[in-house]
Amino acid sequence: MQAKYDEQSIDLLASGHKACAGCGPALTIQAILRATGANVFVANATGCMEIISSQYPQSAWKVPWIHSLFENTAAVASGIEVALKALGRSEEGKVVVIAGDGGTVDIGMQAISGMLERGHNVCYICYDNEAYMNTGNQRSGSTPLDASTTTSPFGKRSFGNDRPKKNMPAIAAAHGISYVATSSVGYPRDLTKKVQKGISVSSPAYLQIHAPCNIGWGFDSAKTIEIARLAVETGLWMMYEIVNGELVNVMKVRNQQPVEEYLKLQKRFAHLFKMPGGDAQIKLIQELANNNLKKYTVETQKEAGEIQT
Amino acid sequence: MKEVRIHGRGGQGSVTAAELLAVAAFEDGKFSQAFPFFGVERRGAPVTAFARLSDKKIRLRSQIYEPDYVIVQDATLISAVDVTAGLKPDGIVIVNSEKSAEDVGLDAGIDVRTIDATGIALDIIGRPIVNTTLLGAFAGATGEIGIDSIKQSILARFPGKIGEVNVQAAEKAYKLMTSAKRKPSKKSRPRKNGTAYESHEKIPIGAIGKPGTSEVTRTGDWRVFYPEFDMDQCSRCGKCLESCPDAAIHKRELTGREATEALKRAEELEKAGKIKKAAAKKAHILYELDPMYCKGCGICANECPIQGIKMKLEEK
Ligand SMILES: Cc1ncc(C[n+]2csc(CCOP(=O)(O)OP(=O)(O)O)c2C)c(N)n1
Ligand code: SF4
Ligand code: SF4
Ligand code: SF4
Ligand SMILES: [Mg+2]
């Protein structure tokens, strides 16, 4: 499918929302809605994107939108989907979930699993800012190794978060759904294409979009897109699709950047450059990146076949 | 008991200011409290923090609705927020502004003290962090707290060089304030009440019916820098527009005579070797900033492939 840009519908998330200046997730939503157009029903989990867009009595949404609890967005979306079916209104639009990483990889997991298992026609999109940002930067299962957060602070006996990111796309794919993809707010064309694929299948689809948060990660608000690109160029964030269970279309990293280039711009990793033993940790992170590139590129270089729906 | 309300923007250290004030009050042998308003507190967005100072134990735990003193960390808040709501008749409002008290846009009859805290902070601390400077001004203007206690409170929180420069800034503001004369005010300010409903049945349900109503919030006033577009050089790639989280850049196509004129002018610039062909050919297309909503994040400037967008300091 040809990625198409509809600049007219640019403000389906209206100006005046309360996201911090330079917010990666808010930019992600702009891009998602630009790709879907107006015919969507959005179920939105509690989190930054819900809080900044729906301060009563205002709403930034120009598409049908519902706020769910932190933990049950997939269940709410499932309900909307079957209700539309029962009413014979499915043609009116696609049901789309927009949820944070905490709401997805942690507390929302069982509702998602149920939704994927039951085969609802819902496109689930997680914007991954790698922590619970709305409540002030607590670690989630999606927080990367060694990131310092309020609940995984660095200190004498800690380099920060001691676990690597949970592989949520693989968990989603393990449900046997036909479309899983990762993308990044640093690559709007890629993001558009994948969102459009995700809404075109008539069974569940799962997308995870890397979306830097300048407040939680600690970087200059102008660098949101630059940092998102660096995550991909270093091999720390992989962009691929899993179509009918097969890993395909892995974005090639032609000129791999050292992970320091990514880490040094962010306060959440600043301790690695100052603490004794920090350099060994940076090496570990470099290995994670190298392994990513090896794992995803060796298996693949395949082109996607037709998505079975 | 004296109640202080601090208005600032997220990231300006309003909550820290309230806490420093409360600790300083301890130093003075008083009872005190400090707490933030719980709400959406994004960087740049209006925020509120509160402090209570008293000779007796403080049992009250509510927000402050009728303050004795108000500190305004950013004068642009005056048009966005009712900073004097509920102010007591002899209350004092301390505003960070280089303007005179008459010119900051508050009603005559309110005892307003202005101080160029941004200037002082830039001068002494080297960064526009005004919260400690304004605490010095508070001590000077109100006499509620000794400047030495303010100093101790600042040093306890920020040890070393940072603490010292903050203390110097506070002292300078203190001196400027104590030398200014006080004008008593007479009017008390109407308190901002929540909407009262006659019965629970009349309370609207928690649904927001109208789409896109966030546009009433003009987030443009969060901005410190604004992007300036070089439309002569612009290659019309659209990257800036797709990079803006706030939908604050719009594409506009000129038509008719306007378009012809723009294209003609660009052709001449191209002939003179001043702009590239790609720019000249699309000179009738404009990318325009919506200053009402641009938060000044700088992403568009960072992403423009021809470096045609420059971030400029906003005049306030
Ligand atoms: C059951 C429950 N626990 C805790 C909360 C408080 N809470 C609100 S948003 C949030 C974090 C959301 O994190 P994430 O899903 O990553 O979204 P982000 O804020 O980062 O955009 C938490 C813990 C809640 N609303 N419900
Ligand atoms: S905290 Fe981060 S994710 Fe949340 S609104 Fe601010 S920039 Fe966006
Ligand atoms: S500075 Fe940020 S908010 Fe302003 S127009 Fe550029 S991208 Fe949009
Ligand atoms: S990014 Fe730069 S060159 Fe591209 S349209 Fe915007 S101002 Fe013009
Ligand atoms: Mg998150």
Side-chain angles (χ1 to χ4, degrees), chain A residues 237-285:
Chain A
W237 180 251
M238 297 300 297
M239 306 244 282
Y240 54 83
E241 294 177 290
I242 303 174
V243 174
N244 312 325
E246 225 179 357
L247 182 64
V248 289
N249 290 335
V250 178
M251 182 182 271
K252 290 194 191 91
V253 179
R254 290 220 164 68
N255 192 357
Q256 190 192 1
Q257 301 290 313
V259 293
E260 282 97 330
E261 296 302 311
Y262 176 67
L263 304 176
K264 74 180 183 198
L265 294 175
Q266 305 173 49
K267 215 167 153 192
R268 62 179 175 158
F269 296 116
H271 57 285
L272 298 179
F273 295 90
K274 294 179 204 145
M275 281 169 74
D279 41 353
Q281 292 298 310
I282 294 175
K283 274 211 189 97
L284 256 175
I285 297 173

Side-chain angles (χ1 to χ4, degrees), chain B residues 10-194:
Chain B
Q12 282 185 332
S14 307
V15 180
T16 308
E19 286 167 8
L20 289 171
L21 197 57
V23 172
F26 274 136
E27 298 286 349
D28 268 1
K30 291 187 194 255
F31 293 92
S32 62
Q33 255 181 11
F35 53 100
F37 174 77
F38 186 76
V40 183
E41 288 167 26
R42 308 295 157 180
R43 183 170 298 182
V47 299
T48 316
F50 309 97
R52 287 194 175 91
L53 329 169
S54 176
D55 294 329
K56 288 191 226 126
K57 261 196 182 164
I58 306 170
R59 301 211 173 270
L60 210 56
R61 288 291 183 276
S62 73
Q63 288 180 34
I64 291 170
Y65 298 98
E66 292 176 351
D68 299 270
Y69 305 112
V70 171
I71 300 175
V72 183
Q73 303 219 66
D74 182 334
T76 61
L77 285 165
I78 290 172
S79 55
V81 181
D82 185 4
V83 295
T84 60
L87 184 71
K88 296 229 175 75
D90 53 354
I92 299 178
V93 184
I94 299 164
V95 183
N96 170 21
S97 170
E98 45 191 10
K99 292 185 188 154
S100 71
E102 291 74 32
D103 294 336
V104 291
L106 289 170
D107 291 358
I110 299 177
D111 185 0
V112 180
R113 316 292 180 87
T114 59
I115 176 135
D116 180 15
T118 307
I120 295 174
L122 279 174
D123 229 25
I124 301 179
I125 306 172
R127 294 174 57 200
I129 303 291
V130 296
N131 55 355
T132 45
T133 310
L134 284 166
L135 289 185
F138 176 83
T142 67
E144 292 290 349
I145 282 189
I147 185 69
D148 287 332
S149 303
I150 297 271
K151 278 200 243 173
Q152 279 175 38
S153 168
I154 294 174
L155 287 174
R157 177 86 171 231
F158 308 107
K161 180 95 178 82
I162 299 180
E164 277 161 34
V165 285
N166 275 281
V167 163
Q168 283 169 28
E171 274 182 320
K172 173 145 192 206
Y174 174 78
K175 283 188 193 127
L176 283 172
M177 272 298 168
T178 36
S179 57
K181 250 193 238 129
R182 158 140 216 211
K183 287 173 291 162
S185 62
K186 284 162 211 81
K187 277 204 281 186
S188 79
R189 311 298 302 163
R191 170 175 163 163
K192 202 171 88 192
N193 284 321

Side-chain angles (χ1 to χ4, degrees), chain A residues 7 10 14-20 22 27 30 34 48 51-52 55-62 134 188-189 215 221-222 225-226 229, chain B residues 40 42-43 204-205 207-208 210-217 219 222 241-247 251 287 293 295 297-299 302-303:
Chain A
E7 286 180 341
I10 172 115
S15 300
H17 63 69
K18 320 290 180 291
C20 312
L27 183 54
Q30 297 286 13
R34 228 172 275 159
C48 271
I51 290 284
I52 61 101
Q55 201 179 30
Y56 189 80
Q58 301 170 17
S59 168
W61 298 85
K62 292 187 175 174
N134 183 49
R189 296 281 133 76
I215 301 299
S221 64
I225 294 180
E226 188 180 323
R229 273 197 305 262
Chain B
V40 183
R42 308 295 157 180
R43 183 170 298 182
I205 54 166
I208 307 169
K210 289 197 189 126
T213 41
S214 62
E215 282 167 1
V216 301
T217 306
T219 50
W222 301 12
L241 182 149
E242 73 181 32
S243 304
C244 179
D246 290 281
K251 181 180 171 184
Y287 284 88
Y293 302 109
K295 293 173 187 160
C297 67
I299 299 182
N302 203 53
E303 295 309 313

